[in-house]
Amino acid sequence: MSTPNHSTERLAVYQQLLAAQSADVDLFQIDVIWPGILTDHLIDLRPYAKEAQREHLGFLVENNTVNDELKALP
């Protein structure tokens, strides 16, 4: 799926897709500040990404954690 180059426009597209509960996208490439914005639409990845959590720098995992739920991975 093609997305706009401008991050604000891309976020708006993602929010529209998520609000509509679209099944068109399985994986989103998000900006580092978006986990908090999109948290209500993202699942907790902790149960699925235990190995990945150990491989990434702690501050990256912490940045993508919202209310003790891992919402994104670098």
Side-chain angles (χ1 to χ4, degrees):
M1 170 178 207
S2 295
T3 59
N5 288 329
H6 193 274
S7 64
T8 303
E9 292 172 5
R10 185 178 307 146
L11 175 60
V13 168
Y14 289 176
Q15 288 174 312
Q16 289 173 350
L17 289 167
L18 292 165
Q21 298 181 350
S22 172
D24 294 338
V25 180
D26 295 318
L27 184 69
F28 290 88
Q29 179 184 1
I30 65 173
D31 191 276
V32 297
I33 61 170
W34 295 354
I37 296 170
L38 300 175
T39 191
D40 291 340
H41 300 286
L42 304 175
I43 64 169
D44 183 9
L45 296 174
R46 283 190 193 276
Y48 310 102
K50 293 187 185 298
E51 184 67 29
Q53 291 175 69
R54 289 189 289 271
E55 293 175 6
H56 293 290
L57 297 174
F59 70 90
L60 294 174
V61 171
E62 183 179 332
N63 180 75
N64 292 306
T65 300
V66 180
N67 298 327
D68 291 326
E69 292 185 350
L70 183 61
K71 298 297 186 164
L73 282 171

